């Protein structure tokens, strides 16, 4: 009520954004709807506190309850992902990667990550990012025919390159990541293994993807994607790396932690330990498979032929479109997703030949396999003619009606 009175302009924009979220179909693979208890913790009075340092070792007084909250978050994160050390202070996935790299590497050291245009993240060695500027990057790619990781080829490359670190875990890779294979590769060349599980953290927590904990030296993850928590990140590590990681986060890179977000992370980890979360994670994958099959049946080519996880990459070139045109047409039809490069793309990254679709948010709304068939049909129809405004407006109404049957935040 106070926001409405004190700043009606911002209030009204927040309300409009809420309505947009309710009325449209969110298929952005990295987005989700944080539950109300997570929003409540992140919007709490904890935002008022300064807590530089760690529980029991702060640079400010008054941290009795903040310490208890951070300890809870640490213990829960550690248990959830099966690693002895957890740092719950990183503000974002990029910060977490920056901090973990700095903890275990010196500037100029060599690391291997998947190419950005084949599914890797900016922080996995892109030349326009700190990762590609501070370190010597030798990227690996996916196989041109299967569009999947070729573990034998990566092993050969790693033995030759002898990197200090290998990064696995991706933003646009629709297949299982075999962390056990990456452990073998890292061991064969004496590298640290960093698993960036940001996209699949919820699947791992819910048992729908193999865990990274038994294999990784360090895990980084955001908490707001399939994990369905607040916007932020964490780092998990083997005991031997704990001190360096903690120093790398504070004072190495960040100042005060966001205590309200730490509390929301603790709530998110608690939720992810409940039996219902297993069902949620497994339904995300079932929905992605159903969506992939239905979209392929509409005549689209899927990168790697399908999906094992929460996302699929649709090659819209197979229908004579590019990613940018397709993304805009879909947005006009109320289907929110993002364009993406596909392996060995001939388009520039700003255009791309692919559309990335993910099911974590739609699954949170309660949608199941039968709705995925309806979604695939609407997706295909919206792309029949990217210029047809009347068509998109009709589909937009159909999407809104469907979303009304799967409300978020209590009402359509
Ligand atoms: N921007 C995120 C994504 O959409 O995958 C990765 O950080």
């Amino acid at each position: 009520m106070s926001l409405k009175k004190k700043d009606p302009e911002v209030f009204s924009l927040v309300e409009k954004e809420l309505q947009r979220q309710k009325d449209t179909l969110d298929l952005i693979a990295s987005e989700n709807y944080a539950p109300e208890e997570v929003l409540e913790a992140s919007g709490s009075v904890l935002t008022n506190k300064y807590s530089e340092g760690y529980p029991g070792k702060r640079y400010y007084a008054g941290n009795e309850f903040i310490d208890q909250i951070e300890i809870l978050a640490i213990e829960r994160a550690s248990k959830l992902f099966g690693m002895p050390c957890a740092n719950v202070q990183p503000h974002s996935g990029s910060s977490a990667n920056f901090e973990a790299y700095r903890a275990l590497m010196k500037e100029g050291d060599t690391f291997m990550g998947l190419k950005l245009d084949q599914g890797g993240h900016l922080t996995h060695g892109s030349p326009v990012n700190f990762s590609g500027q501070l370190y010597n990057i030798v990227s690996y790619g996916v196989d041109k025919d299967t569009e999947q990781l070729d573990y034998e080829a990566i092993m050969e490359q790693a033995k030759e390159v002898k990197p200090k670190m290998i990064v696995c875990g991706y933003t646009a890779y629709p297949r299982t990541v075999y962390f056990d294979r990456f452990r073998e590769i890292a061991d064969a060349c004496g590298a640290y293994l960093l698993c960036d599980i940001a996209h699949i953290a919820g699947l791992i927590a819910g048992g729908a993807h193999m865990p990274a904990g038994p294999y990784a030296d360090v895990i980084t993850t955001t908490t707001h994607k399939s994990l369905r928590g607040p916007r932020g990140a964490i780092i998990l590590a083997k005991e031997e790396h704990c001190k360096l990681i903690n120093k790398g986060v504070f004072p190495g890179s960040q100042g005060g932690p966001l205590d309200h977000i730490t509390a929301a992370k603790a709530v998110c980890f608690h939720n992810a330990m409940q039996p219902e979360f297993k069902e949620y994670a497994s339904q995300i994958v079932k929905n992605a498979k159903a969506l992939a099959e239905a979209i392929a049946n509409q005549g689209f080519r899927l990168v790697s032929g399908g999906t094992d996880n929460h996302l699929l990459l649709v090659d819209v070139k197979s229908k004579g479109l590019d990613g940018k045109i397709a993304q805009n047409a879909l947005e006009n039809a109320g289907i929110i997703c993002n364009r993406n490069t596909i392996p060995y793309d001939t388009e520039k990254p700003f255009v791309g030949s692919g559309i990335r679709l993910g099911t974590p948010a739609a699954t949170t709304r309660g949608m199941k396999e039968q709705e995925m068939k309806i979604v695939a049909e609407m997706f295909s129809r919206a792309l029949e003619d990217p210029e047809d405004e009347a068509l998109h407006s009709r589909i937009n109404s159909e999407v809104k009606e469907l979303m009304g049957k799967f409300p978020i935040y209590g009402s359509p």
Side-chain angles (χ1 to χ4, degrees), residues 16-28:
K16 282 181 184 160
E17 170 58 14
L18 172 61
Q19 202 56 48
R20 185 199 68 78
Q21 291 187 14
K22 288 181 172 186
D23 290 345
T24 56
L25 172 62
D26 185 357
L27 292 178
I28 292 181

Side-chain angles (χ1 to χ4, degrees), residues 299-344:
F300 289 89
R301 189 185 84 82
L302 299 181
V303 168
S304 84
T307 180
D308 300 325
N309 57 25
H310 64 302
L311 71 82
L312 42 140
L313 265 181
V314 186
D315 175 357
V316 291
K317 268 270 149 75
S318 63
K319 290 273 192 169
L321 303 169
D322 69 38
K324 197 155 178 258
I325 289 172
Q327 178 191 301
N328 290 340
L330 290 163
E331 182 173 17
N332 292 337
I335 300 172
I336 309 301
C337 55
N338 69 282
R339 61 186 182 275
N340 220 99
T341 51
I342 60 172
Y344 304 94

Side-chain angles (χ1 to χ4, degrees), residues 103-331:
L104 297 183
M105 291 190 286
K106 292 194 301 292
E107 278 190 29
D109 278 351
T110 300
F111 86 80
M112 286 176 61
L114 182 64
K115 288 182 184 128
L116 178 66
D117 60 353
Q118 300 196 9
H121 187 248
L122 267 177
T123 56
H124 297 175
S126 163
V128 296
N129 180 261
F130 77 86
S131 54
Q133 292 160 2
L134 298 184
Y135 302 100
N136 177 40
I137 305 301
V138 181
S139 300
Y140 57 92
V142 295
D143 180 81
K144 205 163 183 174
D145 295 326
T146 63
E147 299 176 307
Q148 299 194 37
L149 296 169
D150 175 345
Y151 293 89
E152 300 289 315
I154 301 168
M155 171 71 95
E156 287 316 304
Q157 190 182 6
K159 278 183 181 165
E160 204 169 296
V161 171
K162 295 192 180 54
K164 188 82 187 261
M165 180 184 278
I166 297 177
V167 177
C168 65
Y170 314 106
T171 64
Y173 184 68
R175 295 298 181 174
T176 301
V177 183
Y178 291 98
F179 297 118
D180 52 346
R181 303 290 303 276
F182 271 107
R183 182 72 261 168
E184 285 168 18
I185 296 169
D187 286 344
C189 62
Y192 293 123
L193 180 63
L194 184 147
C195 303
D196 177 345
I197 62 166
H199 263 260
I200 53 172
L203 304 189
I204 291 177
H209 188 286
M210 77 179 298
Y215 310 105
D217 286 288
V218 180
I219 293 177
T220 57
T221 183
T222 48
T223 45
H224 50 272
K225 298 186 173 90
S226 55
L227 200 53
R228 210 162 54 181
R231 189 156 292 272
I234 59 173
I235 304 177
L236 300 131
K238 284 182 174 168
E239 194 63 53
E240 69 220 63
H241 305 311
C242 203
K243 265 199 180 135
L244 282 173
I245 293 285
N246 285 343
K247 269 168 75 181
V249 176
F250 173 85
S253 151
Q254 296 183 174
L258 309 176
D259 297 318
H260 51 309
I261 300 297
T262 305
K265 285 173 184 170
V267 174
C268 147
F269 304 144
H270 174 74
N271 284 349
M273 285 173 192
Q274 306 312 309
E276 308 84 86
F277 200 84
K278 275 200 180 340
E279 278 168 42
Y280 170 61
S282 132
Q283 191 63 48
I284 289 176
V285 177
K286 284 185 201 158
N287 282 352
K289 284 182 185 293
L291 185 61
E293 191 184 327
I295 286 184
N297 286 342
Q298 298 283 347
F300 289 89
R301 189 185 84 82
L302 299 181
V303 168
S304 84
T307 180
D308 300 325
N309 57 25
H310 64 302
L311 71 82
L312 42 140
L313 265 181
V314 186
D315 175 357
V316 291
K317 268 270 149 75
S318 63
K319 290 273 192 169
L321 303 169
D322 69 38
K324 197 155 178 258
I325 289 172
Q327 178 191 301
N328 290 340
L330 290 163
E331 182 173 17

Side-chain angles (χ1 to χ4, degrees), residues 356-409:
R356 186 184 67 163
L357 302 177
T359 53
T363 307
T364 293
R365 292 188 89 125
M367 297 171 85
K368 294 219 161 92
E369 290 95 318
Q370 62 201 41
E371 283 78 36
M372 293 302 111
K373 287 188 189 149
I374 302 171
V375 167
E377 192 277 325
M378 294 192 293
F379 174 91
S380 173
R381 207 153 27 99
L383 295 183
E384 267 166 24
D385 182 354
E387 310 268 287
D388 189 339
E389 287 176 20
L391 169 71
H392 296 145
S393 162
R394 275 200 305 281
I395 300 172
N396 202 307
S397 303
E398 290 170 34
V399 167
K400 192 169 168 185
E401 201 186 321
L402 182 64
M403 294 306 103
K405 294 184 190 152
F406 298 93
I408 49 166
Y409 303 121

